[in-house]
Amino acid sequence: QVQLVESGGGLVQAGGSLRLSCAASGRSFSSYGIGWFRQAPGKEREFVAVISWSAGSTNYADSVKGRFSISRDNAKNTVYLQMNSLKPEDTAVYYCAARRYGSSDIGFVAGYPYWGQGTQVTVSS
């Protein structure tokens, strides 16, 4: 089992950048695929980005391609989401999630059994 804690959220102006972190506790972190999801008020939780357990592949939602980048540091048990050129529509609570031996094609909520508590990102216009 793995526990996840997100950090790095905050308030930023449109066009700005933030880097979110997802820190994991537990053993065998490198064997987990990690996904980032977000949920805006009144909306469904949606996929943002994923990195496979082997770190060999990544995948992104069309809405963030070219602006967001996901990476992992297995030595630090941490996955990062670098968010650039932020837009007001990126405002949401961002969650990271884990799946043992998860691949980069798992971009749906039900594919992840472990979730963090979320971190708020607010982008002002």
Side-chain angles (χ1 to χ4, degrees):
Q1 192 168 348
V2 63
Q3 289 81 43
L4 306 172
V5 178
E6 302 94 337
S7 63
L11 173 64
V12 64
Q13 288 188 332
S17 299
L18 283 174
R19 188 178 78 159
L20 304 184
S21 298
C22 173
S25 61
R27 303 174 67 178
S28 304
F29 171 73
S30 61
S31 68
Y32 286 86
I34 303 294
W36 282 98
F37 293 77
R38 66 187 182 187
Q39 189 167 19
K43 294 188 176 181
E44 299 279 325
R45 192 169 298 188
E46 65 175 7
F47 167 73
V48 175
V50 59
I51 188 165
S52 66
W53 71 277
S54 64
S57 60
T58 58
N59 201 6
Y60 298 90
D62 288 343
S63 59
V64 306
K65 278 182 182 175
R67 300 189 298 123
F68 290 13
S69 178
I70 188 171
S71 61
R72 67 188 301 156
D73 184 341
N74 289 335
K76 295 183 178 180
N77 278 15
T78 301
V79 168
Y80 303 99
L81 184 69
Q82 178 66 45
M83 307 187 295
N84 299 326
S85 302
L86 283 161
K87 305 175 180 179
E89 51 263 44
D90 294 318
T91 295
V93 177
Y94 283 70
Y95 300 88
C96 64
R99 176 187 176 94
R100 194 79 186 266
Y101 300 121
S103 64
S104 60
D105 60 355
I106 301 179
F108 48 94
V109 171
Y112 292 85
Y114 306 110
W115 290 82
Q117 84 290 346
T119 185
Q120 176 71 47
V121 172
T122 303
V123 184
S124 63
S125 58

